[in-house]
Amino acid sequence: MSPSSVPVPVADRDLVIITAALNGVLPDRSHCAHIPYSPEEIAREAKRAAQAGAAMVHIHGREPDGSPCWRPEVFQDIARRIRQVSDVIINFSTGGIGLPAAERCRHIGAARPDVAALNMGSMNYAIYSPRKKRFYHDHVFQNPFADIITFLRVMKDHGVRPELECFDTGHIRNAVPLLDMGLLRPPLDFSLVLGVLGGAHPTVKTLLHMSEILPAESHWQVIGIGKLQWRLVAAALAMGGNIRVGLEDNFYLPDGSMAHGNAPLVEKAVALALDLGRQPASASQAREILGISPVPAHGSPC
Amino acid sequence: MSPSSVPVPVADRDLVIITAALNGVLPDRSHCAHIPYSPEEIAREAKRAAQAGAAMVHIHGREPDGSPCWRPEVFQDIARRIRQVSDVIINFSTGGIGLPAAERCRHIGAARPDVAALNMGSMNYAIYSPRKKRFYHDHVFQNPFADIITFLRVMKDHGVRPELECFDTGHIRNAVPLLDMGLLRPPLDFSLVLGVLGGAHPTVKTLLHMSEILPAESHWQVIGIGKLQWRLVAAALAMGGNIRVGLEDNFYLPDGSMAHGNAPLVEKAVALALDLGRQPASASQAREILGISPVPAHGSPC
Amino acid sequence: MSPSSVPVPVADRDLVIITAALNGVLPDRSHCAHIPYSPEEIAREAKRAAQAGAAMVHIHGREPDGSPCWRPEVFQDIARRIRQVSDVIINFSTGGIGLPAAERCRHIGAARPDVAALNMGSMNYAIYSPRKKRFYHDHVFQNPFADIITFLRVMKDHGVRPELECFDTGHIRNAVPLLDMGLLRPPLDFSLVLGVLGGAHPTVKTLLHMSEILPAESHWQVIGIGKLQWRLVAAALAMGGNIRVGLEDNFYLPDGSMAHGNAPLVEKAVALALDLGRQPASASQAREILGISPVPAHGSPC
Amino acid sequence: MSPSSVPVPVADRDLVIITAALNGVLPDRSHCAHIPYSPEEIAREAKRAAQAGAAMVHIHGREPDGSPCWRPEVFQDIARRIRQVSDVIINFSTGGIGLPAAERCRHIGAARPDVAALNMGSMNYAIYSPRKKRFYHDHVFQNPFADIITFLRVMKDHGVRPELECFDTGHIRNAVPLLDMGLLRPPLDFSLVLGVLGGAHPTVKTLLHMSEILPAESHWQVIGIGKLQWRLVAAALAMGGNIRVGLEDNFYLPDGSMAHGNAPLVEKAVALALDLGRQPASASQAREILGISPVPAHGSPC
């Protein structure tokens, strides 16, 4: 026997912040033709993603040939173009391999995004092929505290909010000494990244565990890498968390077809959110929730 | 930084068994006009639910005025009508208040459903109104071991598979002595019922916990009561579990509109399953997974 | 490789409140000769338990022949005798089978203990013999909301603090409407009772889960029934929870010998607490932590 | 109300394997005068630890001045001396900073311990002083898959059993591709290392989570670093896991006094195990449980 209508109080955390990770740095157009490289392409994708329901866009710099770009003027151009067309929250990457931290944060001061992503610890970062029984890729993703501190100081100086990317449980705990040093101030924004070989398992169990060991009052979103992304997105929605989708993390819609850009991925995320009783936050609602200033008046002249 | 395409092995538990709980016993047509009462109405709803993607239908007997019905001939009529039009798995309730167990299992022997639901323990069963600051409903839902054993003996005698309805963690553990007595044999089928006041919390955390303390090799589905149902359905899909929807548990589609029958609820469940990379099992696939005999030849003469 | 002395901040919840459940109601002297029945015996055991390190004593009334006693004057006598010799916190049971709630709370008003235990829900309460493949005992432990409310009103009227005994996860959630009605006020004191067949599993996993779904700022202790008690006590100590030992729950010391009274059980609990870096709270520290008034001046005339 | 003697089936995993980590590599005699350096000192400590109840000893090579030693002849001397006096399981470290993997495994082939420890992933490895608000130590502990594979091949060639040291959840998952490649074969032996800044939190919650995501049939022990060690030891005992103590991990007895060697730490671990109903496994029982060959006849000539 089961009852029909026991009144269960709906959690009041109904607004969900959807982020679109527009391009990443590893995938290129041989993998997916829709990955934006140029500031113009990136701004166009940002606008479409925002129109589809994304409140934040996470962006990597790309050279015209798709290789990683760290030139401040490129990021300035990206920020300017996006702000002309949207009040979406702008989030720039700071991650990279083989480049000193100092060079990976010049664009933060120059382009002053609303948010900058920050890798909160080290781990192996690998790709294994079960078919070929060998590793395609195997490196140590190095983010010692010295680098993390460098980034946090720059962000603090320029009023940029850090988004703490955690690939395993220890990365979450790494926030504790940084809070103690005053380099971080609550409430914090965490990204729980699941599915990278070397880091946390892409399961509901691990996502729940990680979400439960965050400092009190933290915000969090799930970043699910690869095919299991949609399951993790649904689980995060059910738990009251925020979500990230986009071509950086996964090219494919749930039906297995490659998405023609970021907007279709955001649209699917919005549909799932609504089906689970969550309401996508607008950019201005997300700014209020996260404590990010509204877009400056001169930022949207059009 | 996040990678684009780390190969994560997709769990091979991709098939999901969807059950439609067609009518229940508490809700009536003043709550929802689409609740089937008569065998004819029930069979029609069963067929529609099966066509929409349900592999199993869970059914309560109803008198013409909607009150609970335990008459064996009514259940025989229901089973006969459904088997004429569908190979969907037939699951009859045995739960009820204020009626001795012996009277609540006569229909099992008479109508021989494929499956019969069995409440695995006792608890308070209440409805509270936060607005009026008082309880609408408050009784002790009594299912002592003596009753459970009565039901299990009848089911065993008639080759009916028990579906173990667990409203809290202790109900799961109650299976241990029954396994030890030989009244249950693995693999077991559990329903984890969340959202009844008196029983387990309707949260992802509780669902995960309950799914993790089942005996090895068990099957399980979530039964989410009320508004949070869709979140629990999504979470169960993400965890690899099976799901139940239907007018017994929740009248409403995610957009807040009342469903015009069980089929639209099943259709939404199917859509969510596909979005999370799960494939709805056909009735015959579900029979194979659960170890339930195929429909007897004489069962589908049309 | 492992380091030798990474500075891990020790949790500041180092004080542990140890409760001794002196006599219970089910066990009698044929089971254990040391179970106190008379007020004099109970007061003597209370004093010894307090001297051994217990900050609270949980007590059931007993007739001279050991059968359950609900006579208010007996409880008055118990309270008076204990208060003459100790400032230990006095906690009286309200649980019982087959007696109306109204009769199980008269002693609360009459004897005004510091704390009264309160069963927070219903469940099966059974004992199964794996050897004989049958149940020794099987009844529905009935604690509907109506009864809970009756007890809470009496406790509120007499300034007695409720200790919420939860045998499963739903019992914890049952506090929500009672908080909403103003019958409970945070912070709450929970007892998590593990090991009764019908209720929660006696495992670290279940204990952790239950401790994590309590309302914020709650106090909690573990009550482990039977042989696995010491494991649950150790786990609770490691988690920062409080603990209960005593002849009501388990007669045996870890080495398998029957304890000669409650004090040896408390001594072992104290030793375990110290080994895990926890400090037993004195009765007055426990009163402060739980918000219980100090012993009234007239209460300790000696 | 609580019952006195509900029969709870005691888990049959009652034997606990206790490992003593005799010396480590970071701590020296300025920290603790009892740390053994020379083969003679190490063998004496191994014998004492074994007599106190350790079934395994984990050992780092040390030069006469206490600095790290990787000379194969030193490890050969250590193994020979220990085997002359005890059948304790010998476990050698392979971890180290700033030395290529190839140089950190020569002693494995030369001295053929029963077991060799293997770090299963990378992470930050840091020490932070809350008082001085700065990091004392901050490096990336690098263990890419290439190194892990190097070690596993050497161990496989010489019949040495790997002990998989996991400092976070991703390290556990790293076993999956290695199992797939045939470099690991179940059942596996895991060490769950908690309390290093950069890795997993030293809490019961994290320990439980890590123990639950191991491959099926795995053995595991907890390695708790620093002051919270005894809590984690107790929690692991309560969960059915194995435990490690010793001067490498923590110098202090629960009462805060520095241990005069490894044996007193093992004695305390034995006492805790017995209090929780666990029985310390002898070396030969531990060999059987873990599938390690008995000591060769020529190994114990005395």
Side-chain angles (χ1 to χ4, degrees):
Chain A
M1 193 190 77
S2 297
S4 69
S5 58
V6 175
V8 176
V10 174
D12 54 357
R13 296 185 58 188
D14 280 331
L15 284 177
V16 52
I17 300 172
I18 301 176
T19 294
L22 300 179
N23 57 353
V25 66
L26 291 185
D28 63 35
R29 289 192 182 152
S30 71
H31 303 112
C32 172
H34 309 282
I35 295 170
Y37 288 168
S38 72
E40 194 178 353
E41 290 164 351
I42 289 170
R44 199 184 323 134
E45 278 290 291
K47 185 181 175 186
R48 287 176 183 161
Q51 286 171 334
M56 191 186 300
V57 286
H58 173 74
I59 293 164
H60 289 249
R62 294 291 195 108
E63 296 293 349
D65 68 350
S67 63
C69 163
W70 293 101
R71 289 183 290 141
E73 62 273 23
V74 170
F75 285 92
Q76 286 172 317
D77 192 19
I78 293 169
R80 191 180 50 78
R81 286 174 183 272
I82 294 176
R83 289 195 175 122
Q84 279 175 351
V85 296
S86 174
D87 67 342
V88 70
I89 299 170
I90 298 176
N91 172 331
F92 283 163
S93 169
T94 63
I97 302 165
L99 208 70
E103 294 190 41
R104 282 184 282 132
C105 61
R106 283 188 303 139
H107 66 301
I108 299 302
R112 295 200 177 200
D114 299 297
V115 174
L118 176 58
N119 297 304
M120 286 295 287
S122 302
M123 60 166 195
N124 287 350
Y125 203 111
I127 302 178
Y128 175 74
S129 164
R131 218 166 311 166
K132 306 208 175 166
K133 304 283 183 213
R134 65 177 187 80
F135 288 87
Y136 279 171
H137 185 82
D138 172 29
H139 83 278
V140 178
F141 187 44
Q142 302 200 35
N143 297 292
F145 280 103
D147 285 6
I148 295 172
I149 291 171
T150 297
F151 285 119
L152 283 175
R153 292 216 166 108
V154 170
M155 292 184 203
K156 209 175 178 188
D157 289 348
H158 295 90
V160 173
R161 189 169 178 81
E163 175 214 328
L164 312 178
E165 296 210 1
C166 296
F167 294 73
D168 212 336
T169 74
H171 296 197
I172 293 169
R173 186 171 166 242
N174 288 349
V176 176
L178 302 169
L179 282 162
D180 190 59
M181 292 170 83
L183 288 167
L184 287 175
R185 301 178 70 166
L188 303 180
D189 300 344
F190 283 93
S191 287
L192 308 178
V193 189
L194 280 75
V196 176
L197 183 55
H201 300 214
T203 62
V204 177
K205 179 177 182 64
T206 294
L207 180 62
L208 182 70
H209 180 76
M210 291 178 78
S211 74
E212 288 184 339
I213 60 175
L214 302 176
E217 308 304 319
S218 300
H219 303 283
W220 64 273
Q221 73 173 351
V222 72
I223 300 179
I225 305 303
K227 282 191 166 181
L228 293 175
Q229 184 194 54
W230 295 110
R231 293 193 190 183
L232 295 169
V233 161
L237 287 167
M239 290 177 202
N242 296 315
I243 59 175
R244 182 174 116 176
V245 295
L247 294 175
E248 173 170 351
D249 302 333
N250 171 34
F251 306 141
Y252 301 99
L253 290 162
D255 65 6
S257 66
M258 186 176 284
H260 293 281
N262 286 281
L265 296 165
V266 173
E267 283 162 11
K268 174 52 74 175
V270 167
L272 277 172
L274 294 173
D275 279 352
L276 270 64
R278 307 286 303 277
Q279 197 70 31
S282 68
S284 72
Q285 287 172 321
R287 286 176 185 274
E288 195 183 327
I289 292 169
L290 299 176
I292 296 171
S293 315
V295 176
H298 65 275
S300 49
C302 321
Chain B
M1 192 189 76
S2 297
S4 68
S5 58
V6 175
V8 176
V10 174
D12 54 358
R13 296 187 57 189
D14 281 330
L15 284 178
V16 53
I17 299 171
I18 301 176
T19 294
L22 300 180
N23 57 353
V25 67
L26 292 185
D28 65 34
R29 289 194 182 148
S30 71
H31 302 113
C32 172
H34 309 284
I35 295 171
Y37 289 168
S38 71
E40 194 179 353
E41 291 164 352
I42 289 170
R44 198 185 323 133
E45 278 291 292
K47 185 181 174 186
R48 287 175 184 161
Q51 285 172 334
M56 192 186 300
V57 287
H58 173 75
I59 293 163
H60 288 249
R62 294 292 195 108
E63 297 292 349
D65 67 349
S67 63
C69 165
W70 294 102
R71 289 183 289 141
E73 61 274 23
V74 169
F75 284 93
Q76 287 172 317
D77 193 18
I78 292 169
R80 192 181 49 79
R81 286 175 182 271
I82 293 175
R83 289 198 174 121
Q84 280 174 349
V85 296
S86 174
D87 66 343
V88 70
I89 299 170
I90 298 177
N91 171 330
F92 284 163
S93 170
T94 63
I97 301 165
L99 208 70
E103 294 191 41
R104 282 184 281 131
C105 60
R106 283 188 303 138
H107 65 302
I108 299 302
R112 296 200 177 200
D114 299 298
V115 174
L118 176 57
N119 296 304
M120 287 295 288
S122 301
M123 60 166 196
N124 287 349
Y125 203 111
I127 302 178
Y128 175 74
S129 164
R131 219 166 309 166
K132 306 207 174 168
K133 305 281 183 215
R134 67 176 187 82
F135 287 86
Y136 278 171
H137 184 82
D138 171 28
H139 82 279
V140 178
F141 186 45
Q142 302 200 34
N143 298 290
F145 280 101
D147 285 7
I148 296 171
I149 291 170
T150 298
F151 285 119
L152 282 176
R153 293 216 165 108
V154 171
M155 292 185 203
K156 209 177 178 188
D157 288 349
H158 295 89
V160 173
R161 188 168 178 81
E163 176 213 327
L164 312 178
E165 296 210 0
C166 296
F167 294 72
D168 212 335
T169 73
H171 296 197
I172 293 170
R173 185 169 166 244
N174 288 349
V176 175
L178 302 169
L179 281 163
D180 189 60
M181 293 171 82
L183 288 167
L184 286 176
R185 300 177 69 167
L188 303 179
D189 300 345
F190 284 93
S191 287
L192 308 177
V193 189
L194 281 75
V196 176
L197 184 55
H201 300 215
T203 62
V204 176
K205 179 177 183 65
T206 294
L207 180 62
L208 182 70
H209 179 76
M210 292 178 77
S211 74
E212 289 184 338
I213 60 176
L214 302 176
E217 307 304 319
S218 299
H219 304 282
W220 65 272
Q221 73 173 350
V222 73
I223 299 179
I225 305 303
K227 281 193 169 181
L228 292 175
Q229 183 193 55
W230 295 110
R231 292 193 191 183
L232 295 169
V233 161
L237 287 168
M239 289 176 202
N242 296 315
I243 58 175
R244 181 173 115 174
V245 295
L247 294 176
E248 173 169 351
D249 303 333
N250 172 34
F251 305 142
Y252 301 99
L253 290 163
D255 66 5
S257 66
M258 186 175 284
H260 293 281
N262 286 282
L265 297 165
V266 174
E267 283 162 12
K268 175 51 74 176
V270 167
L272 277 172
L274 294 174
D275 279 352
L276 270 64
R278 307 286 305 276
Q279 197 71 29
S282 68
S284 71
Q285 286 172 322
R287 286 176 186 273
E288 194 184 325
I289 291 168
L290 300 176
I292 296 171
S293 314
V295 177
H298 65 275
S300 48
C302 321
Chain C
M1 191 189 78
S2 297
S4 69
S5 58
V6 175
V8 176
V10 174
D12 55 357
R13 297 187 56 188
D14 280 330
L15 284 177
V16 53
I17 299 172
I18 300 176
T19 294
L22 301 178
N23 57 353
V25 67
L26 292 185
D28 65 34
R29 288 191 182 151
S30 71
H31 302 114
C32 172
H34 310 283
I35 295 170
Y37 289 168
S38 72
E40 194 178 354
E41 291 164 353
I42 289 170
R44 198 184 323 132
E45 278 290 293
K47 184 180 174 186
R48 287 176 183 162
Q51 286 171 335
M56 191 187 300
V57 287
H58 173 75
I59 294 163
H60 289 248
R62 295 291 196 111
E63 296 294 348
D65 68 351
S67 63
C69 164
W70 293 102
R71 290 183 288 140
E73 61 273 23
V74 170
F75 284 92
Q76 287 172 317
D77 193 18
I78 293 169
R80 192 182 48 78
R81 286 174 183 272
I82 293 176
R83 289 199 172 119
Q84 280 174 350
V85 296
S86 174
D87 67 343
V88 70
I89 298 170
I90 298 177
N91 171 331
F92 283 163
S93 171
T94 63
I97 302 166
L99 211 69
E103 294 191 40
R104 283 184 281 132
C105 61
R106 284 187 303 138
H107 65 301
I108 298 303
R112 294 198 179 201
D114 299 298
V115 174
L118 176 57
N119 297 304
M120 287 294 286
S122 303
M123 59 166 195
N124 287 350
Y125 203 111
I127 301 179
Y128 175 75
S129 164
R131 218 165 311 166
K132 306 206 175 169
K133 306 279 182 217
R134 67 176 187 82
F135 287 87
Y136 278 171
H137 185 83
D138 172 28
H139 83 279
V140 178
F141 187 44
Q142 302 200 35
N143 297 291
F145 280 103
D147 284 8
I148 296 172
I149 291 170
T150 298
F151 285 119
L152 283 175
R153 292 216 166 108
V154 172
M155 292 185 202
K156 208 175 178 190
D157 287 348
H158 294 90
V160 173
R161 189 170 177 78
E163 175 213 329
L164 311 178
E165 297 210 0
C166 296
F167 293 72
D168 212 335
T169 73
H171 297 196
I172 293 169
R173 185 169 166 244
N174 287 349
V176 175
L178 302 168
L179 281 163
D180 189 60
M181 292 171 82
L183 289 167
L184 287 175
R185 300 178 67 166
L188 303 179
D189 300 345
F190 283 93
S191 287
L192 308 178
V193 189
L194 280 74
V196 177
L197 183 55
H201 300 214
T203 62
V204 176
K205 179 177 183 65
T206 294
L207 180 61
L208 181 70
H209 180 75
M210 291 178 78
S211 74
E212 288 184 340
I213 60 175
L214 302 174
E217 306 305 318
S218 300
H219 304 283
W220 65 272
Q221 72 173 352
V222 73
I223 299 179
I225 306 303
K227 283 191 166 180
L228 292 176
Q229 184 195 54
W230 294 108
R231 292 192 190 183
L232 295 170
V233 161
L237 287 166
M239 290 178 203
N242 296 315
I243 58 176
R244 182 173 117 175
V245 295
L247 295 176
E248 174 170 351
D249 303 333
N250 171 34
F251 306 142
Y252 301 99
L253 290 162
D255 65 7
S257 65
M258 186 177 281
H260 293 280
N262 286 282
L265 296 165
V266 174
E267 284 162 10
K268 174 52 75 176
V270 168
L272 277 172
L274 294 173
D275 279 352
L276 271 63
R278 307 286 304 275
Q279 196 71 30
S282 69
S284 73
Q285 287 172 322
R287 286 176 185 275
E288 195 184 324
I289 291 168
L290 300 177
I292 296 171
S293 314
V295 177
H298 67 273
S300 50
C302 319
Chain D
M1 192 189 76
S2 296
S4 68
S5 58
V6 175
V8 177
V10 174
D12 54 357
R13 296 186 58 188
D14 280 329
L15 284 177
V16 53
I17 299 172
I18 301 176
T19 294
L22 301 179
N23 57 354
V25 66
L26 292 184
D28 64 35
R29 289 193 181 149
S30 71
H31 303 115
C32 172
H34 308 284
I35 294 170
Y37 288 169
S38 71
E40 194 178 354
E41 291 164 352
I42 289 170
R44 198 185 321 134
E45 278 291 291
K47 185 181 175 186
R48 286 175 183 162
Q51 285 171 336
M56 192 187 299
V57 287
H58 173 75
I59 293 164
H60 288 248
R62 294 292 196 109
E63 296 294 348
D65 68 350
S67 63
C69 164
W70 294 101
R71 289 184 289 141
E73 61 273 22
V74 169
F75 284 92
Q76 285 172 318
D77 193 18
I78 293 169
R80 191 181 49 78
R81 285 174 183 272
I82 294 175
R83 290 198 172 121
Q84 280 175 350
V85 296
S86 174
D87 66 343
V88 70
I89 298 170
I90 298 177
N91 171 331
F92 284 163
S93 170
T94 62
I97 301 165
L99 210 69
E103 294 191 39
R104 282 185 281 131
C105 60
R106 283 188 303 139
H107 65 302
I108 298 303
R112 294 198 177 201
D114 298 298
V115 174
L118 176 57
N119 297 304
M120 286 295 287
S122 302
M123 59 166 197
N124 286 351
Y125 203 110
I127 301 178
Y128 175 75
S129 165
R131 216 165 313 165
K132 306 207 175 167
K133 305 279 184 218
R134 68 175 186 82
F135 288 87
Y136 278 171
H137 185 83
D138 172 28
H139 83 278
V140 178
F141 187 45
Q142 303 201 34
N143 298 290
F145 280 101
D147 285 8
I148 296 171
I149 291 170
T150 298
F151 285 119
L152 283 175
R153 292 216 165 109
V154 171
M155 292 184 202
K156 207 176 179 191
D157 288 348
H158 295 90
V160 173
R161 189 170 176 80
E163 175 212 329
L164 311 178
E165 297 210 359
C166 296
F167 294 72
D168 212 335
T169 73
H171 296 197
I172 293 170
R173 186 171 167 242
N174 288 349
V176 175
L178 302 169
L179 281 163
D180 189 60
M181 292 171 82
L183 288 166
L184 287 174
R185 300 175 69 165
L188 303 180
D189 300 345
F190 284 93
S191 287
L192 308 178
V193 190
L194 280 74
V196 176
L197 183 54
H201 299 214
T203 62
V204 176
K205 179 177 182 64
T206 294
L207 180 61
L208 181 69
H209 179 76
M210 291 178 78
S211 75
E212 289 184 340
I213 60 175
L214 301 176
E217 307 304 320
S218 299
H219 304 282
W220 65 272
Q221 72 174 349
V222 73
I223 299 179
I225 305 303
K227 282 193 168 180
L228 292 175
Q229 184 194 54
W230 295 109
R231 293 193 190 182
L232 295 169
V233 161
L237 287 167
M239 290 177 204
N242 296 315
I243 58 175
R244 183 173 115 174
V245 295
L247 295 176
E248 174 170 351
D249 302 333
N250 170 33
F251 305 142
Y252 301 100
L253 290 161
D255 66 6
S257 66
M258 186 177 283
H260 293 282
N262 286 282
L265 297 165
V266 174
E267 283 162 11
K268 175 51 74 177
V270 167
L272 278 172
L274 293 173
D275 279 353
L276 270 64
R278 306 287 304 275
Q279 197 71 30
S282 68
S284 72
Q285 287 173 321
R287 286 176 186 274
E288 195 183 325
I289 292 168
L290 299 177
I292 296 172
S293 314
V295 176
H298 66 274
S300 49
C302 319

